[in-house]
Amino acid sequence: MDILNFVKTTALVLAATQFAACSSGPPPKQELTLTHASIRSAEAAGAVSHAPKALRTAQQKVEAAEALMSKKKYDKAKRLLVQAMADAELAEATAEAEKSKAAYEELQQSITLMKQEIARVQE
């Protein structure tokens, strides 16, 4: 009987160890919420037209992370969400940079036109 109990206990310990090794941390709900907020912020900044590739990459990673979460693969999902947040932040920064560049170019054109008008009036 002692050997049988030992084998059962050992089997339980091994099974528990295997289960613990395969298990994942808690669902990354906070990361999911923050990533969705980052994507909305990027969209509001104009990433749809100024940084569509980075924005779409972020959205695809969120979709993949949500699929992993439904399979309870929380650690992998969390890693993808962190990547997606970085992609969304890149999209937002790119959109802001593109808008700033366009505003700068418009301002430069206005200055050029003003200089031309001043030169014409002084003639």
Side-chain angles (χ1 to χ4, degrees):
M1 275 301 220
D2 287 337
I3 294 175
L4 184 59
N5 284 335
F6 176 76
V7 170
K8 286 181 183 178
T9 304
T10 304
L12 280 172
V13 169
L14 288 174
T17 304
Q18 286 288 345
F19 180 73
C22 293
S23 71
S24 198
K29 294 177 183 176
Q30 182 178 9
E31 289 83 355
L32 182 62
T33 300
L34 291 172
T35 303
H36 279 297
S38 291
I39 288 173
R40 284 192 303 274
S41 182
E43 290 170 340
V48 172
S49 59
H50 295 291
K53 185 175 180 182
L55 181 62
R56 185 67 195 139
T57 298
Q59 292 167 333
Q60 289 171 338
K61 286 180 181 177
V62 168
E63 291 168 6
E66 288 172 335
L68 287 169
M69 287 173 68
S70 70
K71 296 176 184 175
K72 300 193 185 309
K73 295 182 179 184
Y74 301 133
D75 290 338
K76 289 181 181 181
K78 184 176 180 177
R79 283 192 295 274
L80 265 181
L81 289 169
V82 168
Q83 292 173 12
M85 192 179 311
D87 290 329
E89 290 172 0
L90 172 64
E92 182 176 2
T94 301
E96 292 294 342
E98 288 296 320
K99 290 189 319 187
S100 293
K101 181 181 173 185
Y104 170 79
E105 289 171 356
E106 186 177 322
L107 185 58
Q108 286 296 106
Q109 287 177 344
S110 295
I111 290 171
T112 300
L113 288 174
M114 290 173 101
K115 285 179 179 179
Q116 290 172 351
E117 184 62 26
I118 289 171
R120 188 184 63 77
V121 170
Q122 289 180 346
E123 290 176 357

